[in-house]
Amino acid sequence: MTIDTNTMISITEANQNFSKVARVVDEHGSAVILKNNIPRYLVIDFSRAEKEKVAKAEDVHAISERLLKQNKEAYEVLAK
């Protein structure tokens, strides 16, 4: 998982200013809360969590098919 540095917030700042955390999530889709300068917590938009839940319900074959379709051009280049 890649982390955008604009979404990183210290736990102290999150505790004192949770509205900032909510604003970051609204703008970027997620916020990473750091504890002792280490990513510790991930706050995501609820609708994104619902989408992740649906993805877990898919079987492995369906996920593979979807990924193949999404990345078809890249796989063709790699196959050469």
Side-chain angles (χ1 to χ4, degrees):
M1 168 187 235
T2 56
I3 300 173
D4 182 357
T5 56
N6 295 320
T7 67
M8 299 170 74
I9 302 168
S10 72
I11 196 162
T12 303
E13 187 173 7
N15 189 32
Q16 295 171 351
N17 190 2
F18 191 77
S19 62
K20 179 178 180 179
V21 176
R23 194 168 39 256
V24 168
V25 172
D26 288 340
E27 292 173 8
H28 300 278
S30 66
V32 176
I33 299 176
L34 306 172
K35 186 173 185 179
N36 298 323
N37 291 324
I38 299 170
R40 181 66 186 244
Y41 305 103
L42 177 65
V43 181
I44 62 172
D45 184 85
F46 191 78
S47 63
R48 184 173 167 189
E50 287 293 311
K51 289 177 188 174
E52 295 296 324
K53 181 179 167 186
V54 170
K56 289 181 182 178
E58 293 180 86
D59 66 348
V60 174
H61 182 70
I63 293 171
S64 297
E65 289 292 325
R66 182 170 41 85
L67 290 173
L68 284 170
K69 287 178 185 176
Q70 287 176 349
N71 301 297
K72 184 179 179 180
E73 290 180 27
Y75 290 129
E76 288 173 350
V77 170
L78 291 171
K80 291 181 183 179

